[in-house]
Amino acid sequence: MRKAVFSDVIIIGAGVVGAAIARELSRYRLKVALLEKECDVGLGSSKANSAIIHAGFHAPSGTLKAKLTPSGNHLHEELARQLCVPFKRVGSLTIAFTSKDIGILERLQKQGKENAVSGLRIISQEELLKKEPRINPKAKAALYAPTTGIISPYEMTIALVENAARNGAQVYLNRRVLGIQVDPDATKIIRTNRGVFKARWVINSAGLHSDEIAKMVGITKFEIVPRKGEEYILDRSKGNLVSHVIYPVPTLISEGVLIIPTVYGNIMLGPTAEEVADKSDFSTTGEGFRHVMNRARKLLPCLSPEDVIGSFAGLRASLPQGDFVVYSSREVPGFISLIGIDSSGLTAAPILARMMVKMLDQEGLKLRPNVDFHPTRQAGIRFRQLSPQEKAEAVAENPPYGKVVCVCETVSEGEIVDAIRDGAITLDGVKFRTHLGMGRCQGSFCHLRAAEILCREGGISLRKLTKKGGKSRLLADGLASPAKRKRTPPRKKGTARGVHGAARSVRRTEVSLAIVGGGAAGLAAAVAARRAGAQDVLVLDRNEKAGGVLLQCKHEGFGLRKFRVSLSGKEYIQKFLGQARKLNVKVMAATTVLEINSHKEILIVSEKEGVRNIRAKTIILAMGCRERQRGEIGIPGGRPAGIFTAGAAQQWINMKGCLPGKKVVILGSGDVGLIMARRLTLGGAKVEA
Ligand SMILES: Cc1cc2nc3c(=O)[nH]c(=O)nc-3n(C[C@H](O)[C@H](O)[C@H](O)COP(=O)(O)OP(=O)(O)OC[C@H]3O[C@@H](n4cnc5c(N)ncnc54)[C@H](O)[C@@H]3O)c2cc1C
């Protein structure tokens, strides 16, 4: 049997609250252990919420929420700065449509003042429409709260844990607490699925499951009632619809459906508020979607269901009394439970952490300052946010920053490698650290490449790779192992031209014709242009090889008209590539177009060339089309592993030799659905329907 691990303080649950407590305790010379049942931190409510740092005027005065929310709000800005987490103080507007609503605004303003929320004022319709011109013009007034903020909640949780670990806290993932025994000397013996942990002081911050943890030491009076909140994300092109968080007047049980700008430039609509019996019900529903859309459109009539690109649901760990509970009792000294930390818990996390330190101090824990405490954390590069010159320098220093993997969010291979080195071991782990797959295509273009990088860098076999740990395996089976590639070597400081010769500055070139997209359309256009006399023709393609979607089409039937012979997609495109080569068309593969401006200048990046500015007399866009994700066509439900678009499934099976599933259901029986049914059957899968 493994020996028990002794600590001064054990924290159960690595959500934002447990993470904040671990960091706060790491300011002292203590042995702190953070136990988390999942394979990563922040996978509970802390990853699935509205991401608002509330001002604090919603909570009835005198409640713990009323006390903690405004002070938590104040702490976030500095904390986000120290930990390099995206945060914006955007302010909020609560919209009134009737005189009764205006009465509610006055009550909220009074309540806010009692809760010490600063800057609250009721503004006129005119001022409201100046601040938010697209708001329903029937609105009569609004409560303006300048202190409301927005944040990346999962990045905050990850950053808090990283910083706590840097300052000495021990983080134990995949440790599900199964039972707690309290010794007569008040030592708590915590049994997990992987070992025993002991400590005199224990903090229960297990979110939805905090009532179950409390029961393990005989505290039975709390019963969490999960309250589901569905949220819907709009495409970034709609990101400028509002600039403040927009609240309706609240109902008795919730703050209502909000319109929320996110720190990444999207808009989010939600949440719903529905009590559910099952603590694992994270599904979205058609009813929820209609409810959110109807309510949100009342505030912002220009919203369209077509703008939705994704959805998720989170569960609030609510108690019937509706307030946070911080519970410690004489019967179990040194055991503190944080229960009912539902909405505004993200906002309150930093102040809850300070409160825990005070309580532990009062309970007799010796607090000697950790003189080596380091309050800051350096975040990895966010390639998308760099200027062209900074991008050029980043690629020269570390070429994988020049390989864009997620095109929607411009996430580079270098960032994925950084995330893996920082602890990501699943696709969701990479997603929450880099924003990969969070754009319009919701990962259908980039998950395959990200999975390969995860396997290569993390030494994980593709068969074992999961979306979010546990049973969420990405693929059913491998038909063949994908080719092994070498891990990225540790970064070297570059020479003047960078480690691989990419230039440190943005180089400029000119061409007469630039074609973006090297699929069938782009190559055909290049060949035709050369034949018609165009001089220097350049084709740019983001994939490793030009050829586009046809490269993954193994089935025949291409070329019957053009070449009078039935070819596979790959054979067909090879003919075009051959023609292009003969005509001296320059094809730059593995090159991503980052920007095209009104002077017909194309900003490109590649691992080999770095960042370049190409001025073209003429530009042809031949970027093909994108498959629509289920979020875009309104298919509700959960977000398990194993849902693929036809294109993504085809890539896995035809290009990587990996079967996505053994038993398959295909939605849609057009030619693509039937081609996939045939291909998957030939690959060994059973197509059930
Ligand atoms: C839809 C929705 C919208 C919200 N919007 C906002 C908002 O805009 N602003 C705001 O301030 N708040 C908001 N909240 C509330 C906020 O998300 C939560 O209050 C906060 O995330 C709670 O953090 P936590 O650490 O207590 O819980 P969690 O993040 O759930 O963390 C608890 C952790 O405990 C772990 N755990 C559980 N059982 C065990 C066990 N037996 N052993 C080991 N580990 C265990 C879990 O795996 C989990 O990681 C929202 C919540 C929801 C659901």
Side-chain angles (χ1 to χ4, degrees):
M1 222 175 99
R2 259 180 279 174
K3 271 191 176 169
V5 177
F6 280 87
S7 308
D8 296 309
V9 186
I10 289 175
I11 302 158
I12 304 172
V16 69
V17 173
I21 298 168
R23 178 182 184 261
E24 203 56 36
L25 285 171
S26 72
R27 292 176 185 274
Y28 304 94
R29 289 176 59 187
L30 294 169
K31 279 178 96 178
V32 175
L34 179 59
L35 307 184
E36 170 54 53
K37 69 178 167 63
E38 302 294 336
C39 67
D40 205 346
V41 303
L43 294 185
S45 306
S46 301
K47 79 164 191 332
N49 55 58
S50 304
I52 302 168
I53 300 306
H54 292 288
F57 56 86
H58 282 103
S61 308
T63 59
L64 195 52
K65 277 187 188 179
K67 189 175 152 203
L68 299 183
T69 309
S71 27
N73 175 304
H74 289 314
L75 295 179
H76 267 280
E77 192 159 1
E78 172 65 1
L79 191 59
R81 197 189 54 73
Q82 288 182 332
L83 300 179
C84 273
V85 173
F87 169 86
K88 285 184 189 163
R89 207 172 276 292
V90 290
S92 65
L93 293 161
T94 307
I95 312 292
F97 286 96
T98 62
S99 18
K100 189 174 159 215
D101 287 351
I102 294 176
I104 298 175
L105 295 190
E106 285 163 356
R107 181 179 62 71
L108 287 175
Q109 185 183 23
K110 182 167 169 279
Q111 187 166 274
K113 278 189 182 150
E114 284 164 10
N115 297 353
V117 179
S118 57
L120 286 175
R121 67 190 171 89
I122 293 178
I123 61 171
S124 65
Q125 183 196 47
E126 193 189 352
E127 190 177 348
L128 165 64
L129 293 176
K130 237 187 228 162
K131 283 189 187 295
E132 290 293 355
R134 295 181 184 85
I135 285 288
N136 190 340
K138 288 184 186 151
K140 283 197 155 59
L143 176 65
Y144 175 53
T147 56
T148 303
I150 51 173
I151 201 163
S152 168
Y154 32 86
E155 283 181 67
M156 177 52 99
T157 310
I158 291 167
L160 285 164
V161 174
E162 275 182 20
N163 191 243
R166 183 187 174 184
N167 287 305
Q170 297 291 320
V171 184
Y172 296 90
L173 300 174
N174 295 308
R175 302 304 200 284
R176 179 187 288 272
V177 173
L178 301 171
I180 305 174
Q181 183 194 318
V182 185
D183 271 2
D185 69 350
T187 301
K188 282 91 196 160
I189 303 164
I190 299 187
R191 189 167 51 84
T192 76
N193 55 333
R194 288 173 68 190
V196 175
F197 295 79
K198 291 187 180 180
R200 168 80 175 72
W201 285 274
V202 173
I203 296 174
N204 164 17
S205 55
L208 268 183
H209 303 276
S210 51
D211 54 345
E212 296 156 39
I213 299 285
K215 280 181 190 142
M216 291 177 190
V217 294
I219 301 165
T220 55
K221 60 177 168 186
F222 300 107
E223 211 63 60
I224 296 278
V225 184
R227 214 147 40 88
K228 182 154 73 169
E230 297 180 27
E231 309 262 11
Y232 293 85
I233 303 156
L234 307 190
D235 186 46
R236 195 137 34 82
S237 63
K238 302 291 164 187
N240 59 357
L241 290 181
V242 293
S243 53
H244 300 77
V245 174
I246 309 293
Y247 296 96
V249 289
T251 65
L252 275 181
I253 59 154
S254 88
E255 285 148 19
V257 169
L258 327 179
I259 300 168
I260 311 149
T262 72
V263 284
Y264 286 105
N266 301 80
I267 297 282
M268 192 155 67
L269 311 177
T272 54
E274 180 208 354
E275 278 185 14
V276 291
D278 181 358
K279 286 185 178 175
S280 60
D281 176 3
F282 293 98
S283 58
T284 55
T285 61
E287 209 185 342
F289 177 64
R290 284 186 292 278
H291 173 78
V292 166
M293 238 24 240
N294 288 340
R295 295 297 163 108
R297 282 170 95 170
K298 192 177 167 213
L299 297 167
L300 197 66
C302 62
L303 286 171
S304 158
E306 306 276 300
D307 301 330
V308 173
I309 58 165
S311 62
F312 64 86
L315 294 180
R316 303 171 185 87
S318 299
L319 285 173
Q321 59 263 45
D323 198 8
F324 299 157
V325 170
V326 175
Y327 187 82
S328 72
S329 72
R330 288 231 177 106
E331 299 88 78
V332 197
F335 187 91
I336 306 174
S337 284
L338 295 153
I339 310 192
I341 312 298
D342 58 2
S343 203
S344 84
L346 166 65
T347 310
I351 193 76
L352 274 167
R354 288 193 180 179
M355 192 175 166
M356 286 308 98
V357 173
K358 255 193 203 156
M359 285 179 75
L360 289 170
D361 186 24
Q362 283 159 6
E363 292 216 14
L365 175 66
K366 283 208 169 57
L367 296 173
R368 282 175 300 146
N370 171 5
V371 286
D372 298 323
F373 178 76
H374 223 290
T376 57
R377 160 190 175 262
Q378 256 202 333
I381 276 186
R382 285 282 171 273
F383 191 69
R384 180 156 80 91
Q385 291 164 5
L386 303 180
S387 69
Q389 177 55 34
E390 288 168 335
K391 284 188 171 93
E393 283 169 21
V395 179
E397 198 65 50
N398 185 30
Y401 288 132
K403 244 183 173 178
V404 175
V405 175
C406 169
V407 194
C408 305
E409 296 295 306
T410 322
V411 179
S412 66
E413 179 164 326
E415 289 162 275
I416 297 173
V417 172
D418 291 346
I420 295 164
R421 288 180 182 165
D422 286 344
I425 54 163
T426 63
L427 261 192
D428 276 4
V430 171
K431 170 174 136 180
F432 291 126
R433 285 169 176 83
T434 63
H435 225 236
L436 173 115
M438 291 204 186
R440 183 162 268 279
C441 91
Q442 293 281 295
S444 76
F445 274 107
C446 58
H447 276 176
L448 186 149
R449 280 180 70 190
E452 285 185 314
I453 299 167
L454 255 165
C455 292
R456 182 188 78 208
E457 300 294 322
I460 309 166
S461 106
L462 197 49
R463 291 177 186 88
K464 290 197 177 145
L465 189 65
T466 63
K467 181 175 183 291
K468 50 188 169 187
K471 291 183 180 160
S472 65
R473 273 204 306 151
L474 213 60
L475 301 170
D477 218 343
L479 291 179
S481 296
K484 282 221 161 77
R485 286 179 58 189
K486 274 201 240 150
R487 276 186 199 184
T488 310
R491 273 195 238 161
K492 286 185 221 153
K493 276 271 169 215
T495 59
R497 287 199 36 93
V499 272
H500 284 212
R504 284 191 171 277
S505 55
V506 182
R507 281 184 292 167
R508 294 178 177 273
T509 41
E510 290 194 8
V511 293
S512 53
L513 172 64
I515 299 171
V516 185
L523 291 171
V527 167
R530 281 291 289 144
R531 284 186 179 145
Q535 283 306 302
D536 43 348
V537 176
L538 173 67
V539 175
L540 301 162
D541 198 288
R542 66 187 166 88
N543 287 326
E544 296 279 317
K545 287 181 186 159
V549 75
L550 289 180
L551 288 176
Q552 67 191 58
C553 297
K554 278 200 171 172
H555 51 283
E556 294 204 345
F558 298 92
L560 283 169
R561 267 203 215 150
K562 177 122 185 113
F563 302 112
R564 306 217 168 273
V565 53
S566 178
L567 303 168
S568 71
K570 198 171 170 184
E571 290 163 342
Y572 178 78
I573 203 68
Q574 290 304 342
K575 285 198 177 269
F576 274 110
L577 279 165
Q579 288 177 353
R581 223 172 287 127
K582 267 193 202 149
L583 291 165
N584 286 330
V585 170
K586 183 165 185 205
V587 178
M588 283 174 75
T591 302
T592 304
V593 171
L594 297 170
E595 215 180 285
I596 302 178
N597 69 18
S598 53
H599 306 293
K600 292 195 220 150
E601 288 173 339
I602 309 173
L603 191 71
I604 60 161
V605 66
S606 76
E607 191 177 29
K608 232 163 82 187
E609 302 263 351
V611 179
R612 254 214 237 185
N613 193 311
I614 299 171
R615 195 181 182 122
K617 288 200 180 84
T618 308
I619 299 172
I620 294 177
L621 302 180
M623 289 106 71
C625 56
R626 289 181 177 195
E627 290 171 304
R628 290 207 294 163
Q629 283 289 327
R630 47 186 283 234
E632 292 172 86
I633 52 175
I635 300 179
R639 293 157 67 92
I643 300 180
F644 299 86
T645 59
Q650 204 174 43
Q651 274 189 6
W652 277 110
I653 192 163
N654 285 349
M655 298 183 75
K656 300 294 164 191
C658 295
L659 193 59
K662 282 181 180 163
K663 288 184 178 180
V664 183
V665 171
I666 297 176
L667 305 188
S669 59
D671 58 342
V672 173
L674 294 175
I675 287 167
M676 286 315 295
R678 175 176 174 270
R679 181 65 189 100
L680 287 161
T681 307
L682 291 175
K686 181 156 180 359
V687 178
E688 300 273 345

